[in-house]
Amino acid sequence: MQLSVIGCGYLGAVHAAAMASLGHQVVGIDVDEAKIAMLSAGQPPFHEPGFEEILKAGLASGNLTFSTDYTAVESADVHFVGVGTPQRRDGGGADLTYVDAAIDGLVPHAKAGSLIAGKSTVPVGTAARLADIVAPHGIRLAWNPEFLREGFAVKDTVDPDRLVYGVSRETGDEDVATLDAVYSSILERETPRLVTDYATAELVKVAANSFLATKISFINAMAEIAEVTGADVTQLADAIGHDVRIGRKFLNAGAGFGGGCLPKDIRAFVARAEELGKGESVGFLKEVDEINLRRRQHVVDIVVNSFDGQPFGHRVAVLGLAFKPDSDDIRDSPALDVAVRLKGLGAEVVSYDPQAMETARRVHPQLDYAESLDAALAGAEAVVIVTEWKQFRALDPIETAEKVARPVVFDGRNILDPAAWRDAGWTYTGMGR
Ligand code: UDX
């Protein structure tokens, strides 16, 4: 099929290349000329495992092209909208500027009978509003939320847990048939497919992210209690996680969640529910947000306390900047926040991240970025792990002790073996253990 994908960020660029890998003819559109130039040259603008391979393969096969010009969408049967919906500057709600601009860009060029399939995370009610805008032009609209995780974006796109189609009351059957044709090779594997109305599809996405955020904040709340009682939150998570109704996934206590989705999605959900007069229904998400933000401050506090409240001039190695491993994304990253706050308190912070140093440097040029993990560790009076990269998990406590000035470690992601580190002479502090 002929497809267009509007917006070439983490979601759109991966979706475009993944659809090309399934055999479709795809054009990716973005207003950012530099990004389009990079993608057209086969250079990923962000770190995402497996993306470079499918990008290059798509370009080489001729199935995948990129453009800044909306006229390139004219022959497409389906237009995916994968632009960002960041948090508004004036509150918690979602900023729909880019979604509205994508629709404005598409309407003059999308052929009659084509389908716009929204993938961006939007406040409930958005799809119905947009459908009214495009219908007079003979263009159909569906909402087809995306659940991809960074670090697994390619896999999650070509082999998703489920497909959700929010379709129109009027043209629903045709919308379903069109999306089924796009995803035919995924559906052959009996991937669950749910057909809903617009509102349900929009809510599925924010409900899923709210649930995940709640699960993380729940275990972090338990970590707070564990910290004052001497209990171990990791063992607690293991024990409750054996109950299949609870499950062990997303019960890792630590510095909390960040990224381009969970924090802004729960805030946008609260804002939208308040607009709908149902703020109390999701009021608990404010608490989820607060617990989450407290965890980064907790990491800062315990580091500062280890210097008797006087971190000024003390060298601290902050290991991690990305909001999660296998990503160079620093949006709302607890790790970067910890580095910035410690630096703000006068500590001599040296940061290291295997992938996110360039993205971090653009936003925080004032931080010191080490050339290597060893350079970050050299002479450190405290080591703070805030992103669970494999390299940090694999650190040897005996060898690492020889590199630092003071063997004090704060395991902000609970990835080290406390006994092994203590045996090697370290003062080990985990999160809630
Ligand atoms: C999330 C959703 O998982 C995905 O389905 C949605 O499409 C987009 O938002 P992502 O932002 O890539 O994906 O990150 P995710 O893997 O969910 O992790 C989010 C944050 O939670 C990270 O900062 C991670 O470190 C943190 N986290 C995760 C925890 O602190 N504890 C856990 O147990 C799990």
Side-chain angles (χ1 to χ4, degrees):
M1 294 175 81
Q2 305 254 338
L3 311 177
S4 81
V5 179
I6 314 305
C8 291
Y10 282 94
L11 164 57
V14 172
H15 193 69
M19 291 301 108
S21 79
L22 298 181
H24 298 299
Q25 192 78 40
V26 188
V27 59
I29 304 282
D30 202 290
V31 290
D32 183 338
E33 286 182 13
K35 193 182 280 175
I36 290 299
M38 283 186 80
L39 288 165
S40 301
Q43 292 165 4
F46 47 80
H47 175 78
E48 184 62 47
F51 174 58
E52 186 167 356
E53 288 81 348
I54 58 167
L55 171 66
K56 289 201 157 111
L59 293 167
S61 69
N63 275 356
L64 182 61
T65 53
F66 294 94
S67 178
T68 53
D69 182 357
Y70 273 94
T71 59
V73 311
E74 278 166 358
S75 55
D77 308 303
V78 183
H79 313 277
F80 288 101
V81 174
V83 294
T85 50
Q87 186 176 330
R88 289 167 61 111
R89 285 178 191 279
D90 60 355
D95 177 355
L96 293 178
T97 310
Y98 305 109
V99 172
D100 290 334
I103 299 298
D104 287 348
L106 277 172
V107 163
H109 299 289
K111 66 183 177 193
S114 63
L115 175 73
I116 295 178
K119 296 203 84 66
S120 306
T121 304
V122 291
V124 58
T126 304
R129 175 173 70 78
L130 300 178
D132 287 343
I133 297 173
V134 302
H137 304 272
I139 303 167
R140 295 176 288 133
L141 185 124
W143 218 260
N144 173 217
E146 182 58 58
F147 305 99
L148 66 80
R149 298 159 296 168
E150 287 180 25
F152 300 90
V154 175
K155 192 222 156 258
D156 287 349
T157 306
V158 295
D159 187 17
D161 294 338
R162 74 295 207 189
L163 291 166
V164 176
Y165 306 166
V167 296
S168 133
R169 276 193 230 298
E170 290 75 35
T171 61
D173 290 347
E174 209 187 336
D175 303 344
V176 171
T178 306
L179 289 170
D180 277 354
V182 173
Y183 295 127
S184 60
S185 56
I186 296 173
L187 292 167
E188 271 165 23
R189 288 194 299 270
E190 298 189 4
T191 303
R193 183 199 80 182
L194 293 97
V195 177
T196 70
D197 54 25
Y198 290 150
T200 306
E202 292 165 321
L203 282 172
V204 165
K205 177 60 198 263
V206 284
N209 278 354
S210 296
F211 195 87
L212 294 172
T214 303
K215 222 176 157 185
I216 300 168
S217 277
F218 173 83
I219 203 65
N220 279 327
M222 296 305 106
E224 292 184 336
I225 304 294
E227 273 151 16
V228 294
T229 53
D232 183 329
V233 78
T234 304
Q235 289 183 317
L236 183 145
D238 290 342
I240 64 171
H242 279 299
D243 184 333
V244 290
R245 295 170 302 175
I246 296 172
R248 179 64 179 79
K249 289 182 181 157
F250 270 66
L251 282 184
N252 294 322
F257 60 80
C261 290
L262 299 192
K264 70 133 173 108
D265 286 354
I266 61 170
R267 291 170 199 153
F269 196 11
V270 169
R272 183 65 183 135
E274 283 170 355
E275 279 171 15
L276 294 166
K278 283 286 163 200
E280 76 271 23
S281 303
V282 290
F284 69 94
L285 291 176
K286 291 186 190 168
E287 200 73 39
V288 165
D289 200 4
E290 276 169 27
I291 293 166
N292 189 54
L293 294 175
R294 277 208 298 272
R295 294 316 283 169
R296 333 177 154 186
Q297 189 56 43
H298 174 73
V299 177
V300 173
D301 290 345
I302 55 179
V303 175
V304 168
N305 287 344
S306 81
F307 297 112
D308 297 324
Q310 304 290 331
F312 192 86
H314 289 292
R315 190 173 166 93
V316 180
V318 174
L319 305 187
L321 290 162
F323 84 101
K324 66 188 270 188
D326 290 318
S327 172
D328 61 357
D329 195 345
I330 46 119
R331 286 177 292 172
D332 218 331
S333 170
L336 182 56
D337 232 4
V338 165
V340 170
R341 288 185 202 187
L342 284 170
K343 169 106 184 167
L345 292 169
E348 198 189 302
V349 175
V350 184
S351 286
Y352 175 76
D353 188 286
Q355 288 294 339
M357 296 211 280
E358 280 318 305
T359 45
R361 201 194 302 270
R362 267 178 246 148
V363 188
H364 288 289
Q366 84 283 10
L367 284 180
D368 287 326
Y369 299 95
E371 297 275 300
S372 63
L373 178 51
D374 277 355
L377 292 169
E381 294 164 79
V383 177
V384 191
I385 299 179
V386 257
T387 311
E388 60 274 40
W389 283 96
K390 264 202 316 282
Q391 292 91 322
F392 306 155
R393 217 181 266 278
L395 279 171
D396 179 81
I398 298 169
E399 285 171 18
T400 310
E402 287 161 11
K403 294 170 186 160
V404 298
R406 194 178 74 137
V408 174
V409 64
F410 298 93
D411 185 3
R413 293 290 176 184
N414 287 346
I415 57 172
L416 306 178
D417 174 0
W421 283 69
R422 286 184 181 128
D423 286 350
W426 288 80
T427 304
Y428 171 95
T429 310
M431 304 293 282
R433 60 200 312 214

